[in-house]
Amino acid sequence: MRMTERPGDPAGAGDHDADHAIAARRLAQGWAAAINGTSYVSMSQDEVVEYLVGLATRILTALAAEPFNARAAWEVGVDLVDSHFTSSATLERSITLLGEEITQALPDLAAGRVSAVQGALAGGYGYALRQRTLHEQEAIREAVLDAREQAEAALRASEARFRALFTEAAIGIGLADVDGRMLDANLALQQMLGYSLEEFRGFSLQEFLHAGDPESTHEAYRQLTRGDREYFRAEKQFFRSDGDSVWTNLTVSLVRGPDGEPQYQLAMMEDVTDRHQLQDRLRYQALHDPLTGLANRALFLDRLARVFNRPERDRRVGLCFIDLDGFKVINDSLGHHVGDELLVAVAKRLAASVALNDCLVARLGGDEFVLLAERSSGTDQLIELGNQVLDVLADPIRIGGHQLSVSASIGIVERPVVAGGSGDLIRDADVTLYWAKSEGKSRWALFDPERNAREVARFRLSATMPAALEREEFYVDYQPLVALADGRVIAVEALVRWQHPEHGLLAPDRFIGLAEETGLIVQLGRWVLEHTCRQARQWSDEFGDDAPFVSVNLAARQSRDPSLVSDVESILRETGLRAGQLQLELTESAVMGTAEDQTSALRKLYDMGVRIAIDDFGTGYSNLAYLRRLPVHELKIAGSFVEGLRVAGRPDPVDEQIVGALVTLAHALGLTVTAEGVETAAQAERLRDIGCEAGQGWYFARPGPPAAINRLLTAQRRH
């Protein structure tokens, strides 16, 4: 716009100010019309317009200022709430209108400034709403405390005031006794969660905590119930009676009696679902590509930074950098609209191809995409992803009247998280992408030949396993399971070893995974089972009733083998071992993941008399309702929980409670318990006191050959 100078003023300054004022008023009028009726304020429509003129002026001034700072928009959000414009609809319409009006009025303005102003306004608005809620909650809490502290003469009046506040409050309020049993709930809480007062009285506060809540919320509630803290606040999701969810700002306070002892628990919650959903939408828009809907560069970099900021032992990460071959030719010859549609089609194919691989798919810009495997299982996984990308792009893509053939070049990097940083990973992937392009395009290239060579060596190791079985390079060590009550050896666990002619002694973690991947685990497992049962029969013949039963680990793939039951029957028949002298161990995750036909197989083994044990119990996720129906005899507690009981008189209270809870659970289900990883006398003694029947670990004996078990059993017989 051309402006006319006024004498004595800087060039055009007067007209600029006038234009600025006109723009602010036009924006305020549109703003007032957009939010009309969304919030209840004590102003006429004209007063609302005048009020919004001031806010619009501050926003426009901030947008034009150099350097740019969105703080003014944040303060405008606070002022809106302070003036009682508190509806989520007010905020949503305000953000939408500001984006449209400012973009239209100031087309040359950087889009980043408009987004920053929208985000800052939403941030200030959310902050002010929360402060308002906290002040209201604090007022209610203080009213409750005042009610307790009032003298006897004023008690009735205080109770009346509290009852009025309790009944009429806009936020949900629930009152429970010291054990968490619900005593009362106001109308707002009943409407919020969809339960009647009678239904609420059938609940306890603990039932409203669920597995999806952060551990900090669970711990804060445990501290409150113990009386270690007076209150806690959290943003928490609740589930209504109809199954819908409600997001709330929750405050739970402890109310003490005249003697200072905990007497009641008071829960107050404000429904912030609308605000939570709006924040989710804004967050989604900030972290996703507007054209394809995929994650954008910002989300990709954030996820990758988290991987390296919180490194875990043995964690690996992998990247596939993807660049479309010849995309520029399509864009230049057919137009950008065809290019955009092609990018959308490619994005859909990429997302569909990795949907089952738990990978992030992001568009970095232009025709560049990336696949991020945050928990890579190895180079093989990334190579497979690269091949999947090439396969899904092989078929032509029809855009309008054009049938377009598109290919891609892919750079692959896979490594442990501790090796370098996220910047190194991105740089190496980018370099490898250019390698792929230079080698002819429509292919992938793998970074770090040394890493690739190690993977080849790994494949060679797996290829030698069948021959190793034939050459009897495998053997079995046995570790005793000892009764904690009297120190008797009641069982032994079979542990397979591989004496490799080139690599020496290999522990199970070097080859069991390979055996599962190649399917050889079924053959190897059957060999271990047969070998162990023959040894168990020898012990039975020599030691009679004093002979231990043998425990054999069963891999997940073995448990799914349809011939499992017939194999066990055949081995027991061939060796002459009684079914009750054999125990099969499955990991917790394998047992909980069994299908109906697999459960049927376990049931048949159980009915045969074979013992079934769940190994490493407590390290996975167990559906207890499902667990009680499984054919199981024993739980083996993972050694990680026993670690905290090493020192006599100073057990870790958390580990001690976990072990106690697991033992109680097992006994309630009619199961015996064996603790793994016992390394000290203090651990053995404490486990015995808790009620654990047996222990296994270096304190009793390290894994050894059958002769070592013979010596233990012989010595045991003498005593």
Side-chain angles (χ1 to χ4, degrees):
M1 178 181 294
R2 184 181 297 277
M3 300 185 180
T4 304
E5 299 179 13
R6 292 189 305 174
D9 289 336
D15 288 347
H16 182 276
D17 292 341
D19 289 345
H20 194 80
I22 292 171
R25 180 163 295 277
R26 183 181 300 113
L27 176 58
Q29 290 170 342
W31 196 351
I35 65 174
N36 183 35
T38 60
S39 297
Y40 298 95
V41 295
S42 58
M43 292 189 231
S44 67
Q45 186 67 7
D46 290 341
E47 291 172 333
V48 170
V49 171
E50 292 303 318
Y51 173 74
L52 293 178
V53 166
L55 302 187
T57 300
R58 289 157 62 186
I59 290 175
L60 293 176
T61 300
L63 282 167
E66 292 294 340
F68 170 70
N69 190 323
R71 177 68 185 183
W74 191 92
E75 294 170 353
V76 166
V78 173
D79 289 347
L80 280 172
V81 174
D82 290 343
S83 299
H84 304 290
F85 291 92
T86 57
S87 165
S88 61
T90 300
L91 176 59
E92 184 171 1
R93 295 183 185 183
S94 296
I95 292 175
T96 301
L97 179 130
L98 286 175
E100 295 172 350
E101 292 293 326
I102 294 173
T103 302
Q104 191 174 43
L106 303 170
D108 295 330
L109 191 65
R113 293 196 177 190
V114 177
S115 298
V117 164
Q118 290 175 306
L121 188 142
Y125 195 94
Y127 169 82
L129 273 179
R130 178 161 180 78
Q131 292 300 111
R132 185 170 177 263
T133 299
L134 292 177
H135 291 157
E136 183 177 356
Q137 291 176 342
E138 188 62 25
I140 293 173
R141 180 174 176 273
E142 290 176 0
V144 175
L145 294 176
D146 288 341
R148 179 178 61 82
E149 295 171 354
Q150 289 299 318
E152 185 66 28
L155 184 58
R156 292 182 182 274
S158 298
E159 289 178 347
R161 287 196 300 272
F162 171 70
R163 176 53 56 182
L165 184 62
F166 181 88
T167 303
E168 301 299 330
I171 64 174
I173 306 176
L175 187 66
D177 63 17
V178 69
D179 295 322
R181 290 189 297 271
M182 290 290 292
L183 303 175
D184 205 351
N186 70 349
L187 183 60
L189 184 58
Q190 295 173 40
Q191 294 173 343
M192 189 183 301
L193 298 185
Y195 293 106
S196 66
L197 181 57
E198 291 71 21
E199 289 172 324
F200 266 116
R201 287 173 175 166
F203 288 109
S204 69
L205 287 183
Q206 293 91 331
E207 293 179 77
F208 290 104
L209 296 174
H210 51 81
D213 292 330
E215 175 57 28
S216 58
T217 301
H218 290 271
E219 178 59 25
Y221 183 71
R222 287 192 291 267
Q223 292 175 357
L224 183 132
T225 55
R226 293 196 304 263
D228 295 342
R229 64 189 303 166
E230 297 302 311
Y231 69 94
F232 74 88
R233 293 191 178 105
E235 185 172 278
K236 174 171 166 41
Q237 184 182 30
F238 288 88
F239 293 99
R240 289 175 44 84
S241 61
D242 58 10
D244 289 344
S245 64
V246 179
W247 281 95
T248 70
N249 281 331
L250 170 70
T251 300
V252 182
S253 302
L254 188 65
V255 181
R256 299 182 182 273
D259 57 356
E261 291 298 315
Q263 190 171 12
Y264 298 108
Q265 298 178 44
L266 184 72
M268 296 174 284
M269 59 188 75
E270 178 199 16
D271 186 344
V272 294
T273 304
D274 289 344
R275 189 169 76 221
H276 194 274
Q277 292 174 345
L278 177 59
Q279 290 172 343
D280 285 346
R281 287 199 298 273
L282 292 173
R283 188 179 301 112
Y284 181 89
Q285 293 170 3
L287 298 175
H288 289 79
D289 175 50
L291 176 64
T292 63
L294 296 178
N296 61 13
R297 180 183 290 270
L299 179 53
F300 161 69
L301 293 176
D302 178 69
R303 291 276 288 271
L304 187 60
R306 292 184 187 183
V307 172
F308 284 90
N309 289 340
R310 294 197 295 270
E312 301 172 12
R313 183 180 179 184
D314 298 332
R315 183 172 181 178
R316 305 185 68 85
V317 63
L319 288 183
C320 287
F321 261 37
I322 304 167
D323 186 81
L324 300 185
D325 298 329
F327 177 77
K328 187 176 186 301
V329 175
I330 296 174
N331 229 10
D332 293 343
S333 60
L334 300 179
H336 288 276
H337 65 287
V338 174
D340 286 348
E341 292 185 43
L342 178 61
L343 291 174
V344 171
V346 168
K348 289 180 179 178
R349 291 191 180 187
L350 291 177
S353 70
V354 300
L356 301 179
N357 291 277
D358 193 26
C359 293
L360 175 72
V361 187
R363 181 187 177 211
L364 300 183
D367 60 342
E368 291 186 346
F369 299 85
V370 63
L371 306 183
L372 168 62
E374 297 180 60
R375 293 186 178 275
S376 167
S377 60
T379 305
D380 292 346
Q381 180 190 3
L382 274 297
I383 292 175
E384 181 180 353
L385 286 175
N387 287 327
Q388 286 180 8
V389 171
L390 296 178
D391 289 342
V392 299
L393 296 180
D395 294 334
I397 299 174
R398 180 169 291 279
I399 304 295
H402 308 282
Q403 187 162 318
L404 306 176
S405 294
V406 62
S407 63
S409 299
I410 307 169
I412 297 176
V413 179
E414 196 283 333
R415 63 180 51 154
V417 171
V418 295
S422 60
D424 295 335
L425 193 71
I426 294 173
R427 181 198 62 209
D428 294 343
D430 201 26
V431 169
T432 313
L433 173 61
Y434 285 102
W435 292 352
K437 282 188 171 294
S438 65
E439 292 168 1
K441 304 180 180 179
S442 189
R443 65 184 62 218
W444 52 261
L446 180 64
F447 184 79
D448 191 355
E450 294 181 1
R451 170 61 184 168
N452 189 44
R454 287 195 295 271
E455 287 299 315
V456 171
R458 184 169 177 265
F459 289 133
R460 289 175 179 170
L461 185 65
S462 66
T464 62
M465 290 180 70
L469 268 173
E470 295 179 4
R471 292 193 298 265
E472 298 185 353
E473 293 175 6
F474 292 92
Y475 68 92
V476 178
D477 276 343
Y478 300 89
Q479 186 172 33
L481 279 68
V482 176
L484 295 176
D486 55 15
R488 291 184 304 106
V489 176
I490 58 174
V492 293
E493 180 177 353
L495 302 168
V496 65
R497 305 285 191 258
W498 185 359
Q499 187 64 50
H500 196 279
E502 296 179 16
H503 304 293
L505 180 61
L506 301 179
D509 60 349
R510 290 285 303 276
F511 61 86
I512 290 297
L514 290 175
E516 290 211 46
E517 293 173 8
T518 60
L520 190 65
I521 190 65
V522 175
Q523 182 182 352
L524 177 60
R526 194 183 192 286
W527 180 88
V528 172
L529 184 61
E530 182 178 1
H531 192 87
T532 302
C533 286
R534 290 192 186 282
Q535 179 60 58
R537 175 57 192 267
Q538 293 180 23
W539 283 325
S540 180
D541 291 342
E542 183 175 354
F543 296 100
D545 293 340
D546 293 331
F549 66 83
V550 290
S551 191
V552 180
N553 290 284
L554 204 63
R557 191 159 184 169
Q558 285 180 270
S559 68
R560 297 192 295 269
D561 183 24
S563 62
L564 173 64
V565 176
S566 60
D567 282 348
V568 172
E569 288 178 329
S570 174
I571 290 172
L572 291 176
R573 184 171 55 253
E574 292 171 4
T575 60
L577 186 69
R578 289 186 296 104
Q581 291 180 283
L582 173 63
Q583 175 170 280
L584 298 177
E585 294 186 20
L586 293 88
T587 62
E588 183 178 1
S589 57
V591 173
M592 293 305 156
T594 52
E596 186 62 33
D597 56 341
Q598 296 164 263
T599 304
S600 175
L602 294 180
R603 174 65 63 184
K604 290 177 182 177
L605 292 170
Y606 183 93
D607 292 341
M608 287 167 50
V610 176
R611 294 173 55 87
I612 307 295
I614 300 180
D615 194 16
D616 286 335
F617 189 76
T619 59
Y621 171 76
S622 293
N623 182 324
L624 299 183
Y626 182 49
L627 177 63
R628 65 183 300 184
R629 297 196 299 271
L630 286 173
V632 176
H633 295 85
E634 178 171 316
L635 299 184
K636 297 189 73 175
I637 299 177
S640 57
F641 297 119
V642 179
E643 179 68 21
L645 309 180
R646 291 177 62 90
V647 182
R650 289 185 295 157
D652 183 279
V654 175
D655 283 352
E656 188 174 37
Q657 289 184 19
I658 291 175
V659 173
L662 294 178
V663 171
T664 300
L665 169 64
H667 290 170
L669 296 174
L671 309 178
T672 59
V673 182
T674 295
E676 299 177 302
V678 180
E679 297 182 358
T680 67
Q683 288 172 309
E685 181 178 356
R686 187 68 194 107
L687 289 166
R688 184 188 64 237
D689 293 341
I690 290 174
C692 192
E693 283 84 3
Q696 177 182 357
W698 288 3
Y699 172 69
F700 303 109
R702 292 173 181 258
I709 302 300
N710 287 344
R711 289 192 292 270
L712 288 175
L713 296 176
T714 300
Q716 182 173 289
R717 172 181 281 180
R718 290 173 182 168
H719 294 287

